[in-house]
Amino acid sequence: MKNFETLEQLRQACLDLPSKDEASEQATYKKQNTLLKPSGSLGELENLVGWLAAWQRKAEPTLDRVCIMIFAGNHGVTEEKVTPYNSTITELMIAQINQNGAAINQLAKNANAELRVIPVNNLEPTANITQAPAMTEKQFLQAVEAGYNAVTPNINLLCLGEVGIGNTTIAAALSAALFGGDGAQWVSKGTSNAPEYITSKQQAVDKALALHEAALTDPLEICRLLGGYEEAAILGATLAARHLNIPVLLDGFVCTAAIAALQKLNPTGLDHTKISHLSAEKGHLLLAGNLGLYPLIAFNMRLGEGTGAATVVPLLKGALACYTGMNSYQDAGLPPPQS
């Protein structure tokens, strides 16, 4: 079990990261150039195999133990009327997932992936970020630990998702604090298209940024002041995966915002991650661009729950199936193509 007693201990864990296995990555490209196809003709599918190999640290990557991990939390900012729903919906959604009744259950089953749902801090809400820091240092570190310690070394692909009423407001606040801008730039519909809720979200983000302005120079403090329990847990899980040589598929806007601080602390901090899909939340494309991480698909999804990541798992399995199952030119008794 990992314990982070201080922010500085967490910061050091974010700075001291293993690098990818370049030899394994390059071995996949060498093999793919012998397969029965024009060199590079499977495009991004070939790159995805290289990415898996680099971070699993083996030239023959596997996807037989995929885990979709959903962290759930609640947010005091819902007091600002940023959504028509209250925090009881978070608990109801967890119950639906536990009863196999949510979208993520069907997509996880289709992907043949294990599904874990982890409520953080017993679903007690954070403080209202327009009035106070979201979490104390101890609360923040405990939430990071919850995510970090949830990741087990037997996983070969970790897919991260979230459930939490109000968390698109939190994602917008984190993004604005890390990369600049205001509520109007980062906020969109979330759970409601109604203009009054969008306006309230924008105002809540701006109030929070103004309240905490003096402390918004440290990425970890930004996560503590403006984040949420599930976002902190997602950060911890992403960090643990890096230390355990597990590649990570991120879901949409909330997950991406939750881990953005890791790249602010360490330019290579997110190299083991891919964004699964482009969320319909307008801030997601801007955030992805700032991080230099570009989503693999764009299906106009914005549900959360890890649904985008789960949708992409079969695509990754298809890429790997081509890599492991195709014949080579030699197998087919054909001369290799001229380069």
Side-chain angles (χ1 to χ4, degrees), residues 167 234 246 332:
N167 65 14
I234 289 166
I246 302 169

PDB file of all heavy atoms in Angstrom, residues 167 234 246 332:
ATOM      1  N   ASN A 167     -19.189  17.255 -11.810  1.00  0.00           N
ATOM      2  CA  ASN A 167     -17.753  17.167 -12.083  1.00  0.00           C
ATOM      3  C   ASN A 167     -17.315  17.772 -13.415  1.00  0.00           C
ATOM      4  O   ASN A 167     -16.116  17.973 -13.615  1.00  0.00           O
ATOM      5  CB  ASN A 167     -17.214  15.743 -11.892  1.00  0.00           C
ATOM      6  CG  ASN A 167     -17.760  14.723 -12.855  1.00  0.00           C
ATOM      7  OD1 ASN A 167     -18.370  15.057 -13.874  1.00  0.00           O
ATOM      8  ND2 ASN A 167     -17.542  13.448 -12.536  1.00  0.00           N
ATOM      9  N   ILE A 234      -8.309   9.482  -9.708  1.00  0.00           N
ATOM     10  CA  ILE A 234      -7.903   9.215 -11.094  1.00  0.00           C
ATOM     11  C   ILE A 234      -6.437   9.598 -11.297  1.00  0.00           C
ATOM     12  O   ILE A 234      -5.680   8.877 -11.959  1.00  0.00           O
ATOM     13  CB  ILE A 234      -8.829   9.959 -12.081  1.00  0.00           C
ATOM     14  CG1 ILE A 234     -10.213   9.311 -12.085  1.00  0.00           C
ATOM     15  CG2 ILE A 234      -8.242   9.983 -13.488  1.00  0.00           C
ATOM     16  CD1 ILE A 234     -11.289  10.141 -12.750  1.00  0.00           C
ATOM     17  N   ILE A 246       1.816  -0.122 -16.772  1.00  0.00           N
ATOM     18  CA  ILE A 246       0.486  -0.381 -17.320  1.00  0.00           C
ATOM     19  C   ILE A 246       0.068   0.811 -18.181  1.00  0.00           C
ATOM     20  O   ILE A 246      -0.038   1.933 -17.676  1.00  0.00           O
ATOM     21  CB  ILE A 246      -0.552  -0.586 -16.203  1.00  0.00           C
ATOM     22  CG1 ILE A 246      -0.159  -1.741 -15.280  1.00  0.00           C
ATOM     23  CG2 ILE A 246      -1.942  -0.825 -16.799  1.00  0.00           C
ATOM     24  CD1 ILE A 246      -1.000  -1.830 -14.020  1.00  0.00           C
ATOM     25  N   ALA A 332       3.634 -16.720 -46.291  1.00  0.00           N
ATOM     26  CA  ALA A 332       2.809 -16.841 -47.492  1.00  0.00           C
ATOM     27  C   ALA A 332       3.604 -17.265 -48.718  1.00  0.00           C
ATOM     28  O   ALA A 332       3.035 -17.436 -49.792  1.00  0.00           O
ATOM     29  CB  ALA A 332       2.105 -15.505 -47.765  1.00  0.00           C
TER      30      ALA A 332
END
